[in-house]
Structure formats: structure tokens, C-alpha cells
Amino acid sequence: MSARDNILQRLRERSSAPQPAPLSDFSVVTGRQWTAEERVAHFERWISSVHGEIIHCRKDNWREALVGILSDKGVQRLALGRTNDVAREAREWLGENSVELVDVDRDIGDWQREMFERVDAGLTSTLGAIAETGSLWLWPTPDEPRLLSLVPPLHIAVLDADRIEDTLFDVMSRHGWAEGMPTNALLISGPSKTADIEQTLAYGVHGPRELVILLRH
Amino acid sequence: MSQPVEIFTPQQFHRQAQDALGNPQVRANFRKAMDGLMVKRRDAFAEWQLEELRQLGANIRLRALSRLPDLLEQLEERCEANGIRVHWAEDGEQACRIVTDICQQHGARSVIKGKSMVSEEMHLNAHLDKAGIEALESDLGEYLVQLNEQTPSHIIMPAIHLNTDQISDIMHERTGTERTRDVDTMTAAARAQLRERFMAADVGVSGVNFAVAETGTLCLVENEGNGRMTTTVPPVHVAVTGIEKVVEHLADVPPLYALLTRSATGQHVTTYFNMISSPRRDGEHDGPREVHLVLVDNGRSRIYQDDELLDTLRCIRCGACMNHCPVYTRVGGHTYGTTYPGPIGSILMPHLLGLEATQDLPTASSLCGACGEVCPVKIPIPDLLVRLRREAVGEGEGNVPGAGVKRSTREVAAWKSWQWLATHPSAWRGTTGIIGKLRGLAPEHLGPWTEYRSAPKPAAVSLHTLIKRRRQEDQS
Ligand code: SF4
């Protein structure tokens, strides 16, 4: 018999009585009933506590805010998608800017080293966020591959305030995640960090050192 | 080297504990870390209905275990449908062969690894090394421990036994990094060293925190991003997991994740929560082209046979029981000499290795109950420790290999005689009378017992007689 059959058989032929399957009451992870303002406040509190930087802006002036960040942080090469709304608008605006735009909609095998060594920042859209933990919700796409939010030392994420929901449980159930998961789904809460050296916090150990969120109202 | 390389074994628990207790550096490193973690955990749950959440966590795990074989089949089916190849391994050896085969099929020379306790349990690195494949740990703590030729001393914080100076020495001696006490500088150096390795690796190996049967999704919890790198950059990703890590629904994940991060390090959330459901699809520009899942039994289906011990399979590997254990806090993780140290290790390892090798572990507890009280999925660790102690001396019926290994005929005979005496009043009186008269001959030393205590001396007159005399005096 194969290992698979042996293992399954041992599990099935358990001599003791069947294990109970207690009911699960999920109310403790849902039902927060926060108002829109409370949601934003929770989100800001938690993501700030893990070193995420929030820049409030309006939907009609977020690109000015983006330009501000790029110059503040000295970004010269910005990687971004092409077809999603955030990337399209950013590209229009940054067209005449001094920042060099790096296309990410191409096979990473061809330009991995460039991505790892020469890109200063990655700009991504987000699908939403979670107030309770200060987490961004991203499903990478061909337009915005996974490494865009991981490899460059600065990750700039654009988030609409009305897409913040209360809890992870709420996000998963309301948006029907279980009916179709993407290749890779991600929650991101702050920049990459470690406390492995005597519990001292250090940022950017493998991923971005900084996470800036443009929160559009 | 800053620290001599030592091999730790569970058989040497007592000697290793002595050594650790006599090492002020180790004691200080653990004490400092664990005290901080206890406070952080408490604060992290301050705004939560903790009991309700723990109950939910326990129920979710129990429900998953009650349907374990069905869920494993469902997980396999969903993963395969998503394009993830599923493999089954009866033990660590077989699991290592599966991983090695996958590597060899791709002509792999170098493997980059995310943190995985199951791979430690399997001794995967040594196995790959024998096959001529280099495996490099990418979690910073694991990387440091690997550079120092050690094993992790904690399941969440592998390098917690080392302090900044020691780490600086290790990095200097092994990688040429300039000596410094600046943690940012050291972290940046490690980042640079490992980035090259991510790009060069042929295969990425990771663990799994939760495997979701409903959707065929592998969930990975981490702060550093090394897990994301490992599962994204190399062309092949191999995830290894114990068969107990499966949960039924995606909706089961949020409560477990909430419990895990807060219990482990007192964080309200980790930086990354990574959910992988398939290899790179057509049109996608990054991510591995192949994803494999290795389901490892390694004794777990035997644990599954026993209603009481089955509770250990609920564990979500948060490490809170270690952080709160007065024994672990003082002796540190290496002392246990096993993959999983601390309270959970003391109940899990006897199943996996047998009681012959691990007989001292269940006694490495004051039974203060802290481990059971903090466990996010309510595993009754103290009860299980007591049960294993019983089995070690041959009491009760168990399925743990090596039951009865600590049984001593002298001890059994002594207690039997005691029992007989205590239930036969005249024999009791006669014997205690004689012992009282011969009290001058009582030994001063009684083995280890008298190392820190003075030996008991029989009273000249028994309590029984004293009370009798008192009563007579009162009446007269
Ligand atoms: S036994 Fe409980 S407290 Fe210990 S690691 Fe497992 S889940 Fe955490």
C-alpha cells in the first residue's frame, strides 16, 4: 500500500470512539459595528503601530501626494503596473516627472536582478483593508505581480478609505474568498521586520524597509 | 567560534539542565526575552474576549481533527485541482526522500528555506546535504543558528539563546561582516547576503501554518518576508507540513491567526499573511511554476489513536507554553535536546521518539499550570504531562512507545510495603515504634533529594502516640 493509503487507513481505523465535532461560534471575530470614521481610526492606529506610514489625501489630489512622497524619499526608479486605475493615473501624472518608470508586466526571469538591485520603490493598488489589525488586502495580478510589494525597499500602496472593513473574517466572507482563491492572496501589515537579534526590532530584513499608504478619502 | 558546537539529546536532559543553569549568559538571554513576551501577550489580548476566542480556536481544531482523514483527502483533491502536487510521507526519512527527489528532478544544487519546524523534525538539511544539495535557512534567526551550527532553541524565535554580541561574532566569523552592536547594520548585512541566495536558489522549501481543505490553500504567517521570497522567487516551491495542520474552511483561519500572532509574540498581527493556492498561472509574471505539498505523518497518526493524547495535535505552534514555563525560562530550549522544546515538546516528543529516550521530559515541569492556561487552543498540557509520567512508570494504558521504562522494582516494592503497613494498624504501630527507636541510624544523605534539603529524621515518638497521650492528659 502507498504511504497515502497507510496513513488514511490508520486515521480511519481509529479504535476509540469518534471524536466530537463541536460547533464554532464565530461572533468573537465579527460584528464590530464600527462607523466609517471608527474604521479609519482603527486602521490608522494599528498600521501606525507597526511602522506603516499613512498619508491622507483626496481622490482628486492623491497624485500630488504621490509625487511628494517620491521626492521626499528620493525615489528615482519606480516600478508599477500599467492597466489598473492606480497605475494608469500615476503614469499619466508622472509622465513629465523626473522619476523613471519601470514596467512590471513582463516575465520576472528576464529582469530579476534589476528588480532586486535597481528599483527604489514599488507602487501597488489594494483591494481593501482590515480595520481591526491595520492590514492591507492584495491579490497580485499579471499587472501587479507578487514581487512588486516585496522586493523594492519602499512599498507605496494606494487605499480607498471606503474599502476598509472591520475584520479579516468579514472581508473573507463578504467577498466570497472561499469560492475562488487567487494564486496568491496577501495581507500586508507594515514593512518587513525582524526581532531575531536579541528582540530588537529592525525593519527591511528581506522585504521593504518602509510602507507608505496613500489613504484616499 | 564564539560558542562551542554542542549536540543536545533528550537522554542528557539532566546534565544539560545543570549546564544551562550554571550558564549566566543563557539564563539572562532567556529570562529577558520570556519576561517581555509574557507582558506582550497579555497586552495583546487586552481588548479581546479571550476565553471566547480560545474556545473557538479549540473547537475549530477539534472539528478539523474529528474529520481528519476526510479533510486530508479533500485538501489533496483541491490542491491537485489547483495545480499543486501532493505527496504523502509516513516518516521523516520518507519525507526527506520526496523533497530530495523533487530537487534532483530539477537538477537543484541549492535550496532556500523558510522557517519550518517539520523540516527540523525530519532533519531535512542534513539529508539534502548528503545528496549534495545545499540548504540555506532564510529566516534571520534560523540563518544565524545555522551559521553557528546549532538547532533552534525556540520554535518561534530560533536564536533567542544568543545575544547581540554573540551574533555579531558569529556573523563576523562566518560571513566576514564587520563587528558591530548595531542591529540595523547586522540586519542589512544579512539582507544583502540572503538576497543573492534567493535569486540563485533552484528550489524554495517552506512550512505551512494552516492548510485549508475547502480551497486547497496553504497559509504562511511571517514578519520578515523571507517566507514570501522563498515561495515566490525560486522556480519550484515545496511546502512540508504535518498532517494535523489541516483546517476545514477558509473561515476557520481568522480566529486561529488572531490567536497565533498574539500568543506567540504579542503582536496583533504579523507583517505578512501569505495564502498560496496554486503555482504561477498562464499570464502571471512571477511565482513558482511548480508547487508541491508534502504531508508528513511521522507518528501523528499513532497519536491520533488515543482520545486524550490527540489533544496535542491541536497545537498551532505558537510557543506561548514555552514563554510561560518556569522550567523552559530557566534552562532554555536546547536543554530538552528535541525538535520541540518546552511543555508542548515534553508531551509531543515522547510520542515521536518513545519514552526510552524522552523519559525525563514529562518531569521537566513544576505542574504550575501556566502552559495550559495560556495555550490558545486549550490543550490540557499539565494533565498530559501527568499521564506521561504515569506511563513512564508503567501505570495506566497508553500507546506511547517505551511505556514502563522508568518502572523500578525497588520503588514499586517500597510503595507496596508502605501500602500494606498503612492498612494493617498493629504492624504499622510495631514498625513505626522500631523506626523511632532506631532513629539514630537514619542516613544523612538520600541521593539527589538531600542535595538541597536536609534528610528527614524519624520522630522519637509517633504522632499517633503523641495524640493519644494528649487525650489521656486532657481527660485526667
Ligand atoms: S501547546 Fe498550545 S501554547 Fe504550546 S505551542 Fe502549541 S498551541 Fe501554543
Side-chain angles (χ1 to χ4, degrees):
Chain A
M1 274 211 307
S2 66
R4 173 187 188 277
D5 297 341
N6 282 334
I7 295 168
L8 287 173
Q9 188 180 353
R10 271 200 301 277
L11 294 176
R12 288 230 157 81
E13 286 177 357
R14 205 170 162 273
S15 42
S16 324
Q19 273 293 302
L23 290 178
S24 307
D25 174 4
F26 286 91
S27 55
V28 58
V29 289
T30 181
R32 298 289 180 268
Q33 318 263 327
W34 289 325
T35 63
E37 288 76 41
E38 283 168 333
R39 246 174 249 140
V40 172
H42 275 282
F43 175 77
E44 182 158 11
R45 169 188 169 196
W46 288 116
I47 196 131
S48 309
S49 78
V50 289
H51 214 64
E53 207 178 314
I54 293 219
I55 300 199
H56 293 271
C57 52
R58 290 191 317 272
K59 283 180 182 151
D60 60 6
N61 77 351
W62 76 274
R63 291 168 300 188
E64 286 94 321
L66 173 65
V67 171
I69 298 167
L70 296 177
S71 79
D72 282 357
K73 308 270 179 193
V75 173
Q76 289 177 359
R77 291 170 54 86
L78 175 73
L80 73 174
R82 207 191 287 271
T83 55
N84 71 86
D85 289 346
V86 164
R88 264 194 309 106
E89 285 183 48
R91 277 175 185 270
E92 273 165 33
W93 195 264
L94 294 170
E96 290 101 68
N97 215 278
S98 59
V99 177
E100 188 184 333
L101 302 183
V102 179
D103 302 331
V104 289
D105 55 347
R106 52 194 168 129
D107 195 286
I108 189 69
D110 301 335
W111 66 293
Q112 182 160 286
R113 189 156 284 278
E114 184 189 344
M115 171 69 136
F116 270 72
E117 289 172 358
R118 297 196 46 227
V119 173
D120 301 316
L123 173 73
T124 71
S125 61
T126 54
L127 288 169
I130 296 160
E132 184 169 72
T133 51
S135 311
L136 299 169
W137 159 30
L138 277 77
W139 284 4
T141 58
D143 190 45
E144 292 185 331
R146 308 184 203 190
L147 294 179
L148 182 57
S149 60
L150 180 64
V151 171
L154 167 65
H155 174 198
I156 304 167
V158 179
L159 170 68
D160 289 332
D162 54 14
R163 307 217 53 162
I164 304 177
E165 290 171 75
D166 293 354
T167 69
L168 172 57
F169 183 84
D170 296 339
V171 168
M172 280 182 172
S173 36
R174 289 207 192 116
H175 297 274
W177 284 24
E179 275 111 65
M181 285 291 275
T183 313
N184 185 211
L186 286 170
L187 300 183
I188 298 180
S189 317
S192 149
K193 66 168 178 277
T194 184
D196 273 340
I197 303 181
E198 217 184 318
Q199 301 244 294
T200 309
L201 260 183
Y203 293 97
V205 52
H206 295 297
R209 241 180 291 271
E210 290 176 282
L211 170 68
V212 178
I213 295 137
L214 281 166
L215 186 56
R216 303 195 295 195
H217 296 269
Chain B
M1 228 35 253
S2 54
Q3 199 162 336
V5 174
E6 250 190 284
I7 306 292
F8 296 91
T9 65
Q11 287 92 338
Q12 292 292 315
F13 178 80
H14 283 293
R15 188 187 57 74
Q16 285 152 197
Q18 285 290 347
D19 292 351
L21 290 172
N23 183 337
Q25 186 77 76
V26 166
R27 293 194 62 166
N29 294 355
F30 275 96
R31 182 87 240 182
K32 188 171 159 215
M34 300 303 136
D35 283 354
L37 286 167
M38 285 192 262
V39 176
K40 279 199 218 149
R41 174 196 169 271
R42 198 193 53 210
D43 294 349
F45 282 117
E47 291 170 32
W48 280 76
Q49 294 166 278
L50 179 53
E51 274 322 293
E52 280 82 349
L53 187 62
R54 284 176 76 214
Q55 194 57 56
L56 175 58
N59 288 354
I60 287 172
R61 293 298 297 132
L62 275 167
R63 170 159 50 80
L65 290 172
S66 77
R67 307 198 44 220
L68 185 56
D70 296 342
L71 293 185
L72 285 168
E73 276 185 331
Q74 191 189 356
L75 176 72
E76 178 185 45
E77 188 215 319
R78 297 303 324 215
C79 283
E80 297 271 355
N82 295 348
I84 298 176
R85 300 263 316 275
V86 179
H87 311 259
W88 302 70
E90 294 228 45
D91 53 25
E93 182 70 27
Q94 197 174 16
C96 281
R97 272 205 309 275
I98 292 168
V99 180
T100 312
D101 282 351
I102 297 170
C103 290
Q104 281 168 342
Q105 277 157 25
H106 293 85
R109 310 302 311 160
S110 87
V111 163
I112 193 97
K113 284 182 68 208
K115 216 178 128 24
S116 153
M117 287 310 292
V118 178
S119 77
E120 299 283 342
E121 188 186 315
M122 290 153 51
H123 306 294
L124 178 62
N125 293 4
H127 199 103
L128 287 171
D129 193 46
K130 259 191 251 149
I133 302 164
E134 189 199 28
L136 188 78
E137 299 290 345
S138 64
D139 171 88
L140 181 60
E142 291 263 1
Y143 176 61
L144 295 167
V145 164
Q146 190 183 27
L147 286 177
N148 206 25
E149 296 178 33
Q150 287 180 314
T151 51
S153 61
H154 189 286
I155 63 173
I156 304 284
M157 290 149 295
I160 201 73
H161 56 288
L162 301 168
N163 65 22
T164 309
D165 290 323
Q166 291 168 317
I167 291 170
S168 170
D169 286 346
I170 294 166
M171 288 191 71
H172 176 71
E173 282 157 30
R174 292 290 159 125
T175 66
T177 309
E178 207 154 309
R179 275 206 172 82
T180 172
R181 295 209 81 244
D182 182 53
V183 171
D184 284 323
T185 312
M186 282 191 257
T187 308
R191 173 187 171 102
Q193 289 154 15
L194 285 161
R195 283 209 149 195
E196 283 301 323
R197 309 297 288 265
F198 283 120
M199 282 190 274
D202 305 301
V203 173
V205 172
S206 78
V208 174
N209 291 93
F210 316 110
V212 185
E214 180 182 28
T215 54
T217 300
L218 311 176
C219 303
L220 266 82
V221 175
E222 58 145 347
N223 283 313
E224 294 189 358
N226 69 309
R228 286 186 65 198
M229 288 277 196
T230 301
T231 57
T232 308
V233 181
V236 180
H237 167 210
V238 183
V240 289
T241 182
I243 53 171
E244 82 284 15
K245 286 283 181 81
V246 63
V247 296
E248 188 172 5
H249 300 297
L250 200 60
D252 291 333
V253 169
L256 294 177
Y257 180 45
L259 282 165
L260 175 61
T261 61
R262 290 176 177 85
S263 304
T265 49
Q267 294 181 89
H268 66 277
V269 73
T270 52
T271 302
Y272 299 115
F273 188 57
N274 186 3
M275 289 159 271
I276 297 164
S277 302
S278 82
R280 184 193 297 201
R281 289 190 180 133
D282 283 348
E284 289 179 337
H285 301 301
D286 62 8
R289 295 189 185 275
E290 260 180 47
V291 178
H292 297 260
L293 173 65
V294 185
L295 297 168
V296 187
D297 180 340
N298 209 23
R300 288 163 172 82
S301 59
R302 195 178 56 229
I303 298 175
Y304 191 72
Q305 307 301 318
D306 184 304
D307 278 349
E308 215 178 342
L309 301 176
L310 182 132
D311 285 337
T312 53
L313 297 179
R314 254 189 266 168
C315 175
I316 56 172
R317 305 279 189 265
C318 70
C321 53
M322 291 160 215
N323 304 348
H324 291 76
C325 174
V327 177
Y328 178 94
T329 310
R330 283 166 182 79
V331 300
H334 284 152
T335 297
Y336 295 79
T338 48
T339 308
Y340 304 97
I344 180 66
S346 300
I347 55 175
L348 196 58
M349 294 317 294
H351 298 301
L352 302 182
L353 302 178
L355 273 165
E356 278 101 351
T358 58
Q359 52 184 286
D360 290 329
L361 300 187
T363 65
S365 167
S366 65
L367 295 184
C368 69
C371 50
E373 217 162 282
V374 295
C375 177
V377 287
K378 294 185 154 222
I379 299 175
I381 303 173
D383 296 348
L384 290 168
L385 287 168
V386 171
R387 158 148 180 203
L388 287 169
R389 289 182 187 187
R390 286 230 180 87
E391 280 188 26
V393 296
E395 282 177 27
E397 280 172 45
N399 67 351
V400 186
V405 64
K406 275 189 127 175
R407 194 175 179 86
S408 133
T409 25
R410 260 174 59 196
E411 204 176 310
V412 173
W415 286 113
K416 279 251 160 69
S417 323
W418 174 273
Q419 188 185 20
W420 187 85
L421 277 177
T423 47
H424 293 80
S426 53
W428 175 265
R429 274 193 296 274
T431 313
T432 47
I434 295 170
I435 292 175
K437 292 212 173 72
L438 300 177
R439 58 197 285 269
L441 301 176
E444 295 279 328
H445 299 288
L446 294 170
W449 173 261
T450 44
E451 255 173 57
Y452 305 105
R453 307 173 181 88
S454 37
K457 219 171 176 62
V461 185
S462 74
L463 178 66
H464 203 86
T465 321
L466 279 178
I467 292 174
K468 218 165 161 184
R469 271 192 211 153
R470 170 98 37 103
R471 284 213 185 112
Q472 279 165 356
E473 280 166 20
D474 285 353
Q475 278 166 11
S476 61

